C-alpha cells in the first residue's frame, strides 16, 4: 500500500509511467495513478457539493450554470 502523499502526486506518477518500459512496473504505476486520480476526483466532487462551486469557477459561479 502506498501513502496518501504519494497518491496525491498524480503528475509525477504520469511522468514515471510515460518512461517505464517494464510491463509489470508500468501496470503497477497505472494502478497507483488511477487511485490518485479517483481520490482527486472525489475531493473535487466533495468541494462542489459543499458549496456549489469549484475552485476553478470565476467569482464563485456555479459550474453547473454554464
Amino acid at each position: 500500500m502506498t501513502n496518501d502523499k504519494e497518491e496525491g502526486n498524480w503528475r509525477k506518477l504520469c511522468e514515471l509511467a510515460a518512461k517505464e518500459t517494464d510491463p509489470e512496473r508500468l501496470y503497477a504505476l497505472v494502478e497507483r495513478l488511477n487511485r490518485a486520480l479517483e481520490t482527486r476526483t472525489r475531493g473535487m466532487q466533495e468541494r462542489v457539493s459543499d458549496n456549489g462551486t469549484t475552485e476553478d469557477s470565476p467569482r464563485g459561479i456555479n459550474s453547473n450554470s454554464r
Side-chain angles (χ1 to χ4, degrees), residues 50-64:
D50 285 347
N51 63 13
T53 62
T54 62
E55 291 177 3
D56 297 333
S57 296
R59 294 185 213 130
I61 297 172
N62 189 329
S63 60
N64 295 329

Side-chain angles (χ1 to χ4, degrees), residues 8-33:
N9 196 355
W10 63 271
R11 286 185 178 96
K12 182 65 176 175
L13 291 171
C14 285
E15 290 176 21
L16 292 171
K19 296 174 185 177
E20 185 56 64
T21 58
D22 180 82
E24 290 181 18
R25 284 189 250 164
L26 176 59
Y27 184 79
L29 284 169
V30 171
E31 284 184 320
R32 289 169 51 195
L33 175 59

